[in-house]
């Protein structure tokens, strides 16, 4: 019985199935048309799309952290062997560098063991060398001996070539020419007009002139001698004239003496007269006393004046004699020096002349000897050349051939003996002994080295637990060193751990200098988390050498997780994935699109970096790719509603099938799709598309035919 209710219920299903079939047939015909354009008509269409230009912009992401400065290494220095401390080189607080000596232990026993091991090694090497003293040079020499012996034998058997004979004759001729030239040169050197003979004659003449006193130096000597005699005579005459009793100075002294005697006699006479007057008439004498006293005073003054004049005369005479004597002595000294100089110059001239003569004779003798030696050498060379020529021209001697064969056999035997020694087993045993001795030397040297305690890295000594003379055990800590390599430790949560990698750049500031920013890099990321804080420890290495850090200091860090100065970015919605590889529809200046493969990098969701396939400024389709194909002409829509509707359509279709399954046939089919379709075709399209996800907004229509953008640009 016909059920009307069921019929009306099934009508939508029938229409949907029919629309889907119509949609499939339509698009299949379109795909066939694209595959075979010659068999189908082509329909031009203009598709309304949204587009954006590829832009270059910087990308920088960072994570802020708080860190603490700490020393990378802080270890105890323990010796690898026990011993007595003989020297300490450092103390607490001292800076050390890697390899610096910290302390020295007594190594007397170790040094003795090393010397014994070295002696044993030397003995083993000597034994090996005695058995196998063959070197590469010896092998080369043996091989050369074989080759030379073979060449000599071949020459004896084959005889000389014409070229060898011509060469030998040429050598004889050349040797004869050289000999003739050297003999001529030897004869020239011994003749009277040679350079060496003329030099000898000139030296002899100079020496004879010096001996005879006719050279300039002898004339100077004679002139100096005459001047010295004249100066001495003049100075002596002046001295004699001053010291003579008839000199003016002597006469002045005598006159002064006469004046003094006269004054003394006058004084004595007047004193006698006064005494007689006083004796004859005392009263009269008393009356004339003033006159007597005045006259006596004048006479006494005359005596004193005469005495002064005599002293002056004597002083003048003494001064004149001293001056004349000094002048005479000075003249004697100057004259003697002049004579000595002139004599030395004369003697030097004689010596120079003799040396010049000796040198000239020696030069001539040397030249003659060289010339003679050249003659002798030339004669020997000529004899050798003549003998070589005679040897080449002479027939081979049987004895020489036999000797050459024997020499060849001997050379080959020696080469074989060198290359293949008889006792290989003995050589291996000796070599093993050398290797063992060398190993013992290495061990002994290492034992000696262990007695010197060195710093494993640069740092500061924070503790010293030994003193000179202390006996320490192998496990006892001698020093504690804190490394100069300071790092910054920070805790990173799991959210940011994936973005932080070893080598990432970072910057930090110090509480003591908040206005200064210093550079660092990630040095190490802990592979395990702290079970209590659930964070990961990250170490940062400062890269600024100017920064001064203090262990325990707190720093503020910023870790750069991504830094791309020039990233070519496009909207993520522009990317489609039709062939398993990212692609975009590129719009040229004629509004025609082409599908291009691209390589992508970083994406923040809204935008994605293009690393290959696009250039800055190229326009790409961001919405409306569903029905696009290469060669389609597009119209870029600026309607905000259309943009919003397309975006919602992408969200709706995102809940349907994967784009990789649906986008491929659609993009191929749409190349020949008519620009306008009837209502039935639209209904069929809508029925054949996947249903929207719950909560999706209705799709918007724009332009002639706004297709469903559900699978979107990237098929996501």
């Amino acid at each position: 019985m016909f059920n009307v209710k069921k019929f009306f219920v099934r009508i939508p299903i029938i229409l949907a199935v029919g629309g889907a079939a119509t949609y499939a047939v339509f698009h299949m015909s379109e795909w066939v048309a694209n595959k075979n354009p010659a068999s189908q008509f082509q329909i031009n269409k203009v598709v309304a799309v949204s587009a954006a230009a590829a832009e270059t912009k910087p990308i920088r992401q960072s994570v802020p952290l708080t860190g603490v400065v700490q020393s990378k290494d802080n270890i105890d220095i323990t010796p690898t062997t026990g011993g007595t401390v003989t020297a300490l080189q450092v103390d607490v607080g001292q800076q050390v560098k890697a390899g610096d000596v910290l302390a020295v232990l007594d190594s007397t026993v170790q040094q003795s063991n090393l010397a014994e091991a070295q002696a044993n090694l030397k003995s083993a090497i000597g034994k090996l060398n005695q058995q196998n003293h063959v070197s590469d040079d010896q092998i080369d020499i043996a091989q050369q001996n074989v080759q030379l012996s073979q060449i000599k034998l071949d020459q004896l058997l084959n005889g000389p070539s014409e070229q060898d004979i011509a060469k030998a004759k040429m050598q004889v001729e050349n040797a004869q020419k050289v000999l003739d030239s050297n003999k001529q040169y030897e004869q020239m050197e011994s003749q009277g007009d040679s350079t060496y003979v003329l030099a000898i004659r000139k030296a002899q003449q100079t020496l004879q002139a010096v001996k005879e006193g006719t050279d300039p130096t002898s004339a100077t000597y004679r002139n100096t001698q005459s001047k010295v005699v004249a100066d001495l005579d003049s100075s002596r005459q002046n001295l004699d004239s001053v010291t003579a009793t008839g000199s003016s100075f002597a006469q002045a002294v005598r006159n002064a003496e006469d004046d003094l005697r006269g004054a003394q006699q006058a004084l004595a006479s007047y004193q006698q007269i006064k005494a007689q007057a006083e004796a004859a008439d005392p009263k009269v004498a008393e009356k004339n006393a003033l006159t007597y006293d005045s006259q006596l005073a004048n006479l006494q003054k005359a005596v004193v004046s005469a005495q002064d004049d005599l002293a002056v005369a004597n002083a003048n005479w003494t001064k004149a004699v001293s001056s004349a004597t000094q002048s005479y002595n000075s003249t004697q000294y100057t004259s003697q020096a002049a004579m000595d100089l002139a004599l030395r110059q004369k003697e030097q001239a004689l010596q120079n002349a003799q040396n010049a003569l000796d040198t000239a004779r020696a030069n001539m003798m040397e030249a003659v000897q060289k010339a003679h030696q050249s003659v002798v050498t030339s004669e020997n060379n000529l004899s050798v050349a003549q003998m070589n020529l005679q040897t080449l021209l002479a027939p081979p001697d049987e004895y020489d051939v036999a000797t050459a064969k024997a020499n060849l056999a001997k050379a080959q035997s020696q080469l074989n003996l060198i290359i293949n020694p008889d006792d290989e087993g003995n050589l291996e045993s000796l070599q093993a002994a050398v290797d063992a001795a060398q190993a013992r030397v290495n061990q002994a040297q290492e034992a000696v080295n262990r007695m010197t305690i060195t710093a494993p890295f640069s740092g500061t000594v924070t503790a010293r637990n030994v003193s000179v003379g202390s006996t320490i055990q192998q496990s006892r800590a001698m020093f504690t060193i804190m490394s100069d390599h300071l790092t910054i430790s920070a805790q990173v949560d799991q959210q940011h751990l994936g973005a932080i990698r070893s080598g990432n750049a970072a910057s930090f500031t110090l509480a003591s200098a908040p206005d200064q920013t210093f550079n660092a890099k990630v040095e190490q990321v802990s592979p395990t988390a702290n079970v209590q804080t659930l964070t990961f420890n990250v170490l940062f290495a400062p890269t600024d050498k100017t920064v001064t850090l203090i262990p325990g200091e707190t720093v503020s860090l910023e870790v750069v997780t991504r830094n791309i100065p020039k990233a070519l970015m496009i909207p993520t919605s522009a990317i489609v994935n039709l062939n398993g590889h990212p692609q975009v529809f590129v719009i040229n200046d004629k509004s025609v699109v082409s599908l291009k493969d691209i390589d992508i990098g970083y994406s923040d969701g809204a935008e994605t970096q293009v690393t290959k396939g696009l250039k800055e400024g190229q326009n790409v389709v961001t919405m409306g790719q569903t029905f696009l194909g290469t060669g389609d002409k597009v119209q870029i829509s600026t309607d905000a509603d259309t943009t919003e509707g397309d975006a919602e359509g992408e969200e709706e279709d995102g809940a349907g099938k994967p784009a990789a399954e649906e986008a491929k046939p659609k993009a191929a089919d749409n190349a020949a799709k008519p620009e306008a379709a009837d209502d039935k075709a639209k209904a069929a399209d809508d029925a054949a598309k996947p249903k929207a996800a719950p909560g999706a907004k209705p799709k918007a229509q724009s332009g002639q035919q706004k297709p469903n953008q559900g699978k979107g640009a990237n098929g996501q």
Side-chain angles (χ1 to χ4, degrees):
M1 185 177 182
F2 181 78
N3 192 330
V4 177
K5 184 177 181 180
K6 290 183 178 180
F7 175 78
F8 283 104
V9 170
R10 292 173 180 173
I11 287 175
I13 298 175
I14 295 171
L15 291 175
V17 173
T22 304
Y23 178 88
V25 172
F26 179 83
H27 285 285
M28 182 61 69
S29 64
E30 185 180 7
W31 179 78
V32 174
N34 285 336
K35 292 295 183 178
N36 189 7
S39 63
Q40 301 290 339
F41 62 90
Q42 294 185 355
I43 301 175
N44 295 327
K45 64 175 181 177
V46 177
V47 182
V49 298
S50 295
E55 296 179 349
T56 299
K57 57 182 68 176
I59 299 175
R60 179 181 173 86
Q61 292 179 320
S62 61
V63 176
L65 298 171
T66 299
V68 178
V69 179
Q70 64 181 23
S71 175
K72 185 176 181 180
D73 297 305
N74 190 25
I75 65 171
D76 293 333
I77 307 299
T78 58
T80 57
T81 183
T84 301
V85 179
T86 59
L88 287 175
Q89 304 295 336
V90 297
D91 207 341
V92 175
Q94 185 171 339
Q95 294 284 333
V96 295
K97 295 182 179 179
D100 284 355
V101 176
L102 306 179
V104 179
L105 305 182
D106 184 14
S107 60
T108 304
V109 175
Q110 290 78 7
Q111 293 285 357
S112 176
N113 294 338
L114 176 60
E116 182 180 356
Q118 289 173 338
N120 293 336
L121 174 61
K122 184 177 180 181
S123 175
I125 292 174
K127 292 179 180 179
L128 177 62
N129 289 337
Q130 290 177 357
Q131 179 67 23
N132 183 17
H133 56 277
V134 178
S135 63
D136 292 340
D137 292 339
Q138 289 175 312
I139 294 176
D140 292 340
I141 293 173
Q143 291 174 340
Q144 291 175 6
N145 290 337
V146 172
Q147 295 174 357
L148 292 175
S149 298
Q150 185 65 54
I151 292 172
K152 290 181 179 179
L153 178 59
D154 293 341
Q155 289 177 349
L156 287 174
L157 295 177
N158 299 329
S161 63
E162 294 182 359
Q163 183 179 1
D164 292 337
I165 295 174
K167 183 178 179 181
K169 290 181 178 180
M170 181 64 67
Q171 290 176 348
V172 172
E173 294 177 0
N174 292 336
Q176 185 63 54
K177 291 179 181 179
V178 172
L179 176 60
D180 295 341
S181 175
N182 289 336
K183 285 184 176 181
Q184 184 178 3
Y185 180 75
E186 180 184 22
Q187 186 177 4
M188 290 175 56
E189 292 299 328
S190 60
Q191 290 179 352
D193 56 351
S194 69
T195 303
Y196 298 102
V197 173
L198 294 177
I200 292 176
R201 290 176 181 174
K202 182 178 179 180
Q204 289 174 337
Q205 293 173 358
T206 302
L207 178 61
Q208 187 65 26
V210 172
K211 291 181 177 180
E212 293 177 354
T214 58
D215 66 309
T217 305
S218 299
T220 301
Y221 177 79
R222 290 192 295 271
N223 294 336
T224 301
Q225 188 177 32
S226 299
K227 184 176 182 304
V228 165
V229 172
D231 292 344
L232 285 175
D233 290 343
S234 175
S235 180
R236 184 64 190 179
Q237 290 175 2
N238 181 48
L239 178 61
D240 292 342
S241 65
V242 171
T243 56
T245 56
S247 67
S248 59
F249 297 100
Q251 185 61 44
V253 170
R254 287 194 294 271
N255 293 338
E257 290 175 346
D258 293 341
D259 291 343
L260 178 58
R261 283 194 295 271
Q264 290 174 341
Q265 291 176 359
L267 177 60
S269 297
Y270 194 78
Q271 288 174 342
Q272 186 177 6
I273 292 172
K274 179 182 178 183
Q276 292 175 354
E278 289 175 349
D281 190 353
K283 293 182 177 182
V284 175
E286 183 179 1
K287 183 179 180 180
N288 295 325
L290 292 175
T291 301
Y292 289 137
D293 292 339
S294 176
Q295 188 65 27
L296 285 174
N298 291 334
L299 291 174
Q300 288 175 344
K301 289 180 179 180
V303 171
V304 172
S305 177
Q307 289 175 340
D308 293 339
D309 292 341
L310 178 59
V312 170
N314 283 321
N316 290 338
W317 192 14
T318 301
K319 182 178 180 181
V321 172
S322 175
S323 177
T325 303
Q326 185 176 1
S327 176
Y328 179 73
N329 293 336
S330 176
T331 301
Q332 280 186 321
Y333 178 79
T334 303
S335 300
Q336 185 62 43
M339 287 299 299
D340 291 343
L341 176 61
L343 181 59
R344 287 196 300 272
Q345 290 176 345
K346 183 178 181 180
E347 292 174 348
Q348 187 62 45
L350 180 61
Q351 184 63 43
N352 292 342
Q354 185 63 50
N355 292 340
L357 178 59
D358 295 341
T359 301
R361 288 173 175 171
N363 291 340
M364 180 177 178
M365 183 177 295
E366 182 180 2
V368 171
Q369 289 177 350
K370 286 183 177 180
H372 180 69
Q373 185 62 39
S374 298
V375 170
V376 173
T377 302
S378 300
E379 290 175 344
N380 293 335
N381 293 338
L382 177 59
S383 299
V384 171
Q386 290 172 341
M387 290 177 62
N388 291 337
L389 178 60
Q390 293 175 0
T391 302
L392 287 175
L393 296 177
D397 185 81
E398 293 181 359
Y399 176 79
D400 294 338
V401 173
T403 302
K405 290 180 179 180
N407 291 338
L408 176 59
K410 182 179 179 181
Q412 290 175 337
S413 176
Q414 290 177 347
L415 177 60
N416 293 334
L417 183 61
I418 290 175
I419 296 177
N420 302 310
D422 295 335
D423 192 356
E424 289 290 344
N426 190 29
L427 290 178
E428 293 178 358
S429 176
L430 293 174
Q431 183 62 54
V434 171
D435 296 340
Q438 182 63 60
R440 287 191 290 272
V441 169
N442 296 340
Q443 293 175 355
Q445 184 62 61
E446 180 63 25
V448 172
N449 296 341
R450 287 198 297 267
M451 306 309 287
T452 301
I453 312 302
T454 59
F457 51 77
S458 299
T460 303
V461 179
T462 59
R464 176 175 66 82
N465 305 319
V466 295
S467 301
V468 175
S470 300
T471 301
I472 59 173
Q473 301 300 323
Q474 182 174 348
S475 60
R476 179 182 175 183
M478 299 179 65
F479 303 92
T480 301
I481 299 180
M482 181 180 67
S483 172
D484 285 343
H485 186 185
L486 300 180
T487 60
I488 301 173
S489 175
Q491 303 301 316
V492 179
D493 56 28
Q494 300 180 35
Q495 177 184 357
H496 297 107
L497 183 65
I500 298 178
R501 294 288 183 271
S502 179
N504 281 153
S507 60
F508 65 93
T509 58
L510 303 173
S512 58
D515 297 334
Q516 286 185 283
T517 301
F518 305 97
N519 295 323
K521 68 176 181 180
V522 177
E523 186 175 56
Q524 180 181 337
V525 179
S526 175
T528 59
N530 187 313
V531 295
Q532 296 179 348
T533 63
L534 298 181
T535 58
F536 293 80
N537 186 47
V538 179
L539 296 181
F540 297 85
T543 57
D544 281 334
K545 296 183 179 180
T546 57
V547 63
T548 301
L549 298 177
I550 302 174
E553 189 175 13
T554 302
V555 301
S556 297
L557 286 158
E558 182 182 7
V559 186
V560 179
T561 57
R562 191 181 307 276
N563 185 21
I564 307 176
K566 294 182 179 181
L568 186 63
M569 305 296 292
I570 61 173
T572 304
S573 60
I575 303 174
V576 297
N577 196 358
L578 302 181
N579 60 354
H581 191 278
Q583 297 171 306
V584 291
F585 284 100
V586 181
I587 306 172
N588 63 16
D589 55 356
K590 295 181 180 180
S591 298
V592 177
V593 298
S594 59
L595 191 61
K596 289 190 175 182
D597 291 343
I598 61 171
D599 291 345
I600 60 176
Y602 165 75
S603 177
D604 60 5
E607 290 185 316
T608 299
Q609 178 192 8
V610 178
T611 60
K612 183 179 179 182
L614 275 185
K615 296 182 179 179
E616 184 178 10
Q618 285 186 300
N619 288 320
V620 295
V621 177
T622 59
M623 292 184 183
Q625 302 100 315
T626 304
F627 299 110
L628 280 181
T630 297
D632 285 348
K633 193 168 185 178
V634 298
Q635 179 181 355
I636 299 176
S637 173
T638 59
D639 188 353
D641 294 337
T642 301
T643 303
E644 181 181 357
D646 290 342
E648 292 171 352
E650 290 178 0
E651 293 177 2
E652 180 181 357
D653 288 352
K657 298 179 181 179
E661 298 178 6
E662 293 186 342
K664 292 182 180 180
K666 288 184 180 181
D669 295 342
N670 291 341
K673 189 178 177 100
E675 294 181 3
D678 55 13
D679 294 338
K680 292 182 179 180
K682 292 182 178 178
D685 291 346
D686 295 338
K689 295 176 182 176
K691 295 181 180 181
K697 296 181 180 180
K699 296 175 285 183
Q701 300 292 332
S702 176
Q704 299 176 353
Q705 184 182 33
K706 186 61 182 174
N708 188 336
Q709 304 295 325
K711 301 207 172 34
N714 52 15
Q716 297 175 351

